[in-house]
Amino acid sequence: MTLYLYNTLSRTKEAFVPLNPDHVGMYVCGPTVYDLAHIGNARPVIVFDVLYRLLKRRFKRVTYVRNITDVDDKINAAAKAEGVAIDVITARTAKAYHDDMAALGALPPDEEPRATQTIAEMIAMIETLIAKGHAYAAEGHVLFHVPSFAEYGRLSRHNQDELIAGARVEVAPFKRDPRDFVLWKPSDADLPGWDSPWGRGRPGWHIECSAMSKKYLGVTFDIHGGGRDLVFPHHENELAQSVCANAAPFVRYWVHNGFLTVEDEKMSKSLGNFRTVREELEKAPGEALRLAMLKTHYRQPLDWTDHGIAEAKADLDRFYGALKAMRSFEVLDPNDPANTGQVWSVQIVPPLDDDLNTPRAIAGLHTMARQAHRLIPRLEADIERLTESGQKVLRRADIEAVIASNEALGKPLMELLIRKNMMLHGGALLGILQNDPLHWFQGAMATITPIVRGVVSPVVTSSIDINAQIEARNAAKKARNFAEADRIRDELKAAGIVLEDRPGGKTEWRRA
RNA sequence: GGCCAGGUGGCGGAGUGGCUACGCAGCGGACUGCAAAUCCGUGUACACGAGUUCGAAUCUCGUCCUGGCCUCCA
């Protein structure tokens, strides 16, 4: 099986063949830390987290680099507005970013360089560009000279004339060409600055990614990711700088995620529909937000809605319901070659291999959940019998023994074991379904969801002894006192507790 | 204005030439004391017009609509 990725450079899906078959390098543009991450910032993080997980599974070593931009005029403005030092803003925002992304289930990158710690490399790169005639200093600025790079515009498919014609930028008088962009700019005394051959100043926006990717991944590397809106000018400029400075190819696969709207509108502060990750986490567990994100293919436009969040939560309830019913089955080690044939179904990995088709992978999870739910009712008693003799886990080896003596019973048990593992390991690639199912339904994460359903959040009910109530209700049921049984159930429901009577007389509960 | 995406059933959302995507909601049924959960069954679809083809949601051309980029932006 081969992984295919859509390469913005060629505008086609290409087979992914890394430069070094044992070591893949991936760079994704990270946040500018001046404010809380919004839900649009989260999309590339989640998308490339899935790609990272997929690459890690397939290649011996993956180095994932995601920068933090901690020098920027928006940061300067935020610091000024609050009357605090710049590093107060950047430290606080970076911390919040880490917390938020972790809540969304994103693995930390292998390297997270900061722009302010890569200044020397940026200056060196700018000097090289000047020496090679691709850049020039003027009035304390250094500018990249676009006409010096014939291929400029290839990534974004802008031709040079259109760029000039369409340019609405005020053209600074010291620019030799209106398209020339800043590599270095002077800083006043009250702005952050570093000494350089062109005086005290700070880097332009694009150079940092060129310098940081080179530092950690080399001049040529495999994957560069980011939002589609970064294609121009940011990635186009990065490409120009890096190719000209390094005299080497830059990125082999450019991967861009699509844009996001909120309730059908562009998210913007002026429309008042700006949603931070933090706000959304109040509505639903991060895992549900993550699934809501992955239910749309990464290159498609995504409309972020409360309804979508609720649907994703419902999907997870369904998946976790199946996993709960299969909780006594062994979790197989996917790295054990003996398991690979069983664990990896055609349902999850092939869709992801096809340019990260997460919606189809999720459809595969639904299929497995349905197949599991079909088998469970007629096996529940057997599962209980097999696990009650002190042994809590139903191992693969045990089931094989059952098959040897009773194929009709053992085979469906094995089917269930496989379904559980497919869901678990498929879910791991998507970054979901790794919680304990009981915790999912009964723990704290289950209680903060109702907002998106337009339902009043139930009162926290730690004072109610749920098990005692269930016992009382079952006693009433046995006495055929259904009025009392229903009263207890309604009382619990009002407190946010839903009861589910299992066949066999057991009653389970979950938070609504 | 230039460039680039996208328009699929009540909703979300896959699918690139012929075969049920999937999920939610709806409706019918099973299970249940009644529910919940779950299972089974089921209707409505490919923006519009023309063309290519034995055959098009899928290819071509045109039209309309939406969004993005061109300026900081995921």
Side-chain angles (χ1 to χ4, degrees), chain A residues 27 37 94 107 145 169 234 237 241 245 298 335 349 377 397 438 447 453 467 486:
Chain A
Y27 186 94
L107 300 169
H145 193 45
V169 211
H234 185 234
N237 290 355
Q241 292 159 353
Y298 78 95
N335 297 316
V349 177
L438 281 180
T447 64
R453 292 181 181 156
N467 289 326
D486 290 349

Side-chain angles (χ1 to χ4, degrees), chain A residues 130-338:
Chain A
I130 293 175
K132 290 187 174 180
H134 291 294
Y136 56 95
E139 298 183 27
H141 294 70
V142 181
L143 292 112
F144 184 89
H145 193 45
V146 169
S148 75
F149 182 53
E151 290 201 0
Y152 191 83
R154 193 173 146 221
L155 178 66
S156 56
R157 306 241 165 147
H158 282 117
N159 76 49
Q160 314 264 355
D161 297 339
E162 283 161 0
L163 279 178
I164 297 171
R168 294 180 190 165
V169 211
E170 237 181 273
V171 178
F174 50 78
K175 278 193 182 181
R176 290 184 193 166
D177 185 283
R179 294 162 297 168
D180 291 355
F181 57 89
V182 169
L183 298 169
W184 190 263
K185 52 190 170 187
S187 288
D188 298 335
D190 62 330
L191 286 174
W194 291 261
D195 289 328
S196 81
W198 319 284
R200 186 173 175 280
R202 60 194 195 282
W205 174 35
H206 315 296
I207 192 70
E208 59 170 273
C209 288
S210 287
M212 287 188 271
S213 63
K214 181 181 181 180
K215 183 173 178 181
Y216 292 95
L217 298 172
V219 292
T220 305
F221 59 94
D222 294 308
I223 297 170
H224 190 129
R228 180 191 210 92
D229 54 325
L230 291 179
V231 174
F232 191 88
H234 185 234
H235 290 336
E236 190 73 59
N237 290 355
E238 257 186 73
L239 174 65
Q241 292 159 353
S242 290
V243 169
C244 289
N246 302 328
F250 182 41
V251 170
R252 305 181 63 242
Y253 300 86
W254 287 94
V255 182
H256 293 98
N257 62 273
F259 216 77
L260 177 148
T261 51
V262 169
E263 306 285 357
D264 247 350
E265 284 184 313
K266 179 179 177 169
M267 183 166 59
S268 73
K269 282 180 175 165
S270 56
L271 283 170
N273 63 351
F274 207 82
R275 299 210 194 167
T276 63
V277 171
R278 198 143 289 198
E279 284 165 351
E280 300 304 88
L281 283 168
E282 294 292 315
K283 299 178 183 172
E287 192 170 341
L289 304 183
R290 181 182 177 97
L291 183 62
M293 210 57 101
L294 294 176
K295 285 182 74 168
T296 300
H297 182 84
Y298 78 95
R299 281 193 281 118
Q300 289 294 113
L302 165 59
D303 190 32
W304 186 259
T305 63
D306 283 349
H307 183 249
I309 297 170
E311 279 205 358
K313 170 64 168 62
D315 287 333
L316 288 171
D317 284 344
R318 180 174 162 75
F319 297 151
Y320 274 115
L323 288 171
K324 186 174 76 151
M326 298 188 284
R327 62 185 176 278
S328 50
F329 287 92
E330 179 185 11
V331 179
L332 299 177
D333 177 2
N335 297 316
D336 183 342

Side-chain angles (χ1 to χ4, degrees), chain A residues 345-356:
Chain A
S345 78
V346 294
Q347 308 269 23
I348 302 289
V349 177
L352 294 180
D353 276 345
D354 182 17
D355 194 35
L356 300 181

